[in-house]
């Protein structure tokens, strides 16, 4: 259910400034988005898994805070990020 090392490295290469960049907000948003997608698929099957629902809500809140930060500091990068991740329509 969790992301593999290879998948994390691939996301870091795509969204980070360097291939070892895992701490920038853009990379964190991309990683959280992938985790959210996986957990959503899990919850479609296991509807009564309430602890996973709580974890999903926490991840969505964390991603929302990070996206608010990116939007304040780099509006063009924010629009590009949500377009590439397919999070919401712009």
């Amino acid at each position: 259910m969790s992301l593999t090392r290879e998948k994390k490295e691939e996301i870091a290469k795509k969204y980070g400034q360097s291939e070892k960049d895992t701490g920038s907000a853009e990379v964190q948003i991309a990683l959280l988005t992938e985790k959210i997608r996986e957990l959503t698929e899990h919850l479609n099957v296991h509807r009564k898994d309430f602890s996973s629902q709580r974890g999903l809500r926490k991840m969505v809140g964390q991603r929302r805070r990070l996206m608010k930060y990116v939007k304040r500091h780099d509006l063009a990068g924010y629009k590009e990020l949500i377009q590439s991740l397919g999070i919401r329509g712009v």
Side-chain angles (χ1 to χ4, degrees):
M1 178 139 66
S2 65
L3 295 174
T4 62
R5 174 179 282 171
E6 293 80 21
K7 184 72 174 170
K8 286 181 185 180
E9 289 172 356
E10 177 185 323
I11 291 172
K13 283 181 188 178
K14 184 174 181 183
Y15 294 100
Q17 284 86 22
S18 69
E19 59 188 43
K20 296 292 183 180
D21 177 21
T22 57
S24 68
E26 293 84 2
V27 175
Q28 290 182 49
I29 290 169
L31 288 171
L32 280 169
T33 300
E34 191 61 34
K35 286 181 185 179
I36 288 168
R37 286 187 180 131
E38 287 184 2
L39 195 53
T40 302
E41 290 175 15
H42 167 78
L43 287 172
N44 284 334
V45 175
H46 306 283
R47 295 191 185 276
K48 294 191 178 190
D49 188 354
F50 298 115
S51 60
S52 292
Q53 287 179 10
R54 180 175 186 264
L56 177 65
R57 285 192 299 269
K58 287 179 76 166
M59 281 187 244
V60 170
Q62 178 68 33
R63 184 179 70 178
R64 185 183 312 127
R65 287 190 299 275
L66 285 167
M67 290 185 63
K68 191 186 297 186
Y69 170 81
V70 171
K71 186 176 182 179
R72 268 189 318 222
H73 287 69
D74 183 17
L75 186 60
Y78 168 78
K79 289 181 180 181
E80 181 182 318
L81 183 66
I82 61 174
Q83 196 67 248
S84 67
L85 290 173
I87 296 175
R88 59 175 76 114
V90 177

